[in-house]
């Protein structure tokens, strides 16, 4: 016997204890009616048709999607990273561009920078990444969330929680991120290499002499070569370490965020440094210096300086990665927590 019960009005009238009681009563009423030959007739006047639902009503929308929360919290994390990590990033680039063995190591490089330009010399070129860091990191973290959604929609719910799913989602984040990061990276490495004129002056000069696409986006392929595998290691390491250290059902602690973020940064640079060295050489070269592109940069570097040159700057990159990315994920996690509190 088919029985469609509409319950809210009927519950009020019958004072039933549950929806199931209403459903049973309606069904009995329908069966009784059919016994008298009126099953296909009009419904009882006391019955109002409303769909029975056992599940609670969905919570009201907060007006802020998970993607937007990831975007905002990622921007906050990126700003934290730049403030903590830029001095060591400057040292890293100086070492990568050193073809005459001017610097004896990290400490000597830092000493020479400070002696020539003071402590401000360590922060040279910070304005470009700082101005662009909110959209850069916001888009990377937003891209990671979109990558996880893509994993779930393509290969089934829960895929984004697997190791492979997390790493693929991390690699996906580099694709939209690169569109924003390349111009700022080009200006940053030119300033760190000693180019004069400030970020605005360098931006105008590059755009005027080399063009937007060929100038500001010079090194896009090498940036993708660096950031896709680097981001796979970065997000994958963070999520895996964080989950392995956090007891089930408990909130993540600041100490675990710091440890997981620091290790994620270290994993990223272990993977990304060779491509980063090639990118720095290519982006600081004069126009037309490397007509053969990546292959020429790689072959000339290895021939002149040996395979170890591909890992130039790894020391300061690793020293920077731990505190800077610990700060990044700490800023990201607690900004997200604040947003979840304000917009549950």
């Amino acid at each position: 016997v088919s029985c469609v019960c509409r319950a809210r009005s009927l519950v009020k009238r019958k004072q039933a204890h549950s929806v199931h009681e209403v459903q049973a009563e309606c069904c009995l009423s329908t069966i009784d009616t059919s016994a008298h030959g009126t099953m296909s007739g009009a419904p009882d006047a006391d019955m109002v048709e409303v769909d029975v639902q056992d599940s609670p009503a969905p919570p009201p929308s907060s007006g802020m999607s998970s993607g937007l929360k990831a975007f905002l919290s990622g921007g906050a994390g990126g700003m934290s990273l730049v403030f903590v990590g830029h001095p060591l990033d400057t040292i890293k680039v100086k070492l990568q561009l050193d073809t005459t063995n001017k610097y004896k190591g990290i400490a000597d490089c830092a000493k020479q920078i400070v002696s020539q330009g003071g402590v401000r010399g360590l922060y040279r070129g910070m304005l470009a990444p700082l101005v662009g860091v909110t959209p850069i990191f916001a888009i990377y973290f937003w891209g990671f969330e979109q990558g996880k959604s893509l994993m779930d929609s393509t290969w089934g719910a829960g895929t984004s929680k697997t190791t492979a799913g997390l790493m693929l989602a991390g690699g996906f984040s580099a694709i939209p991120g690169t569109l924003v990061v390349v111009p700022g990276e080009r200006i940053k490495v030119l300033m760190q290499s000693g180019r004069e004129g400030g970020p605005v002056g360098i931006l105008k000069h590059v755009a005027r002499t080399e063009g937007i696409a060929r100038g500001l986006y010079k090194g896009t392929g090498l940036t993708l070569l660096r950031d896709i595998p680097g981001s796979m290691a970065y997000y994958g390491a963070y999520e895996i370490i964080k989950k392995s250290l956090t007891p089930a059902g408990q909130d993540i602690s600041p100490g675990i965020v710091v440890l997981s973020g620091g290790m994620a940064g270290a994993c990223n640079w272990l993977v990304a440094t060779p491509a980063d060295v090639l990118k720095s050489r290519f982006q600081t070269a004069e126009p037309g210096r490397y007509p053969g592109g990546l292959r020429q940069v790689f072959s000339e570097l290895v021939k002149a300086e040996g395979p170890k040159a591909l890992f130039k700057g790894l020391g300061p990159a690793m020293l920077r990665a731990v505190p800077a990315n610990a700060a990044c994920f700490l800023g990201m996690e607690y900004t997200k927590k604040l947003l979840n509190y304000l917009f549950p």
Side-chain angles (χ1 to χ4, degrees), residues 24-308:
E25 187 173 345
C26 280
C27 289
L28 286 171
S29 174
T30 304
I31 293 169
D32 183 63
T33 303
S34 68
H36 288 81
T38 59
M39 178 177 172
S40 59
D44 192 312
D46 285 337
M47 292 168 59
V48 179
E49 289 189 292
V50 194
D51 290 335
V52 174
Q53 291 186 354
D54 251 339
S55 58
S61 173
S62 67
M64 183 175 289
S65 66
S66 60
L68 181 56
K69 289 178 181 178
F71 183 88
L72 295 175
S73 58
M79 293 182 71
S80 303
L81 179 144
V82 171
F83 278 117
V84 173
H86 191 79
L88 283 163
D89 187 63
T90 299
I91 295 170
K92 178 199 68 151
V93 172
K94 289 282 190 182
L95 288 171
Q96 288 176 340
L97 299 177
D98 179 22
T99 59
T100 60
N101 294 321
K102 177 182 178 181
Y103 305 115
K104 297 177 182 178
I106 297 170
D108 181 58
C109 182
K111 183 179 178 181
Q112 290 194 43
I113 292 171
V114 173
S115 66
Q116 293 171 8
V119 175
R120 291 179 63 181
L122 293 170
Y123 286 90
R124 185 180 178 87
M126 190 180 77
L127 182 60
L130 188 60
V131 169
V133 77
T134 299
I136 288 169
F137 274 81
I139 288 173
Y140 270 99
F141 277 92
W142 171 83
F144 181 52
E145 288 298 315
Q146 300 310 304
K148 290 194 289 185
S149 298
L150 180 62
M151 295 303 107
D152 288 337
S153 62
T154 304
W155 287 292
T159 304
S160 63
K161 296 180 180 179
T162 65
T163 301
L166 287 168
M167 293 181 71
L168 288 171
F172 177 84
S173 73
I175 298 173
T178 296
L179 296 175
V180 180
V181 76
V182 174
E185 286 263 312
R186 178 85 204 279
I187 295 167
K188 176 180 72 88
V189 297
L190 286 172
M191 289 191 68
Q192 289 172 327
S193 67
R195 184 75 63 89
E196 299 294 334
V200 176
I202 292 175
L203 171 65
K204 290 180 178 179
H205 176 76
V206 170
R208 184 177 66 253
T209 59
E210 301 178 45
I212 301 296
R214 290 183 175 273
L216 292 178
Y217 279 90
K218 182 178 181 178
T220 298
L222 283 165
T223 304
L224 284 169
L225 184 64
R226 178 194 69 176
D227 285 357
I228 289 177
S231 294
M232 291 175 72
Y234 186 63
Y235 289 104
Y238 178 74
E239 294 291 339
I240 291 165
I241 295 170
K242 179 182 74 171
K243 289 178 180 178
S244 67
L245 295 177
T246 304
Q250 293 188 18
D251 288 338
I252 185 172
S253 69
I256 291 175
V257 174
V258 168
L259 177 60
S260 303
M263 293 301 295
C267 290
N268 171 71
W269 283 108
L270 280 171
V271 173
T273 294
D276 190 57
V277 172
L278 298 174
K279 182 186 77 69
S280 294
R281 293 288 177 97
F282 185 71
Q283 286 187 318
T284 55
E286 292 297 322
R289 169 66 181 81
Y290 292 111
L294 168 62
R295 182 177 297 180
Q296 184 181 356
V297 180
F298 175 80
S299 61
E300 288 187 11
L301 175 68
V302 173
K303 183 178 180 180
E305 302 176 48
K308 287 184 178 180

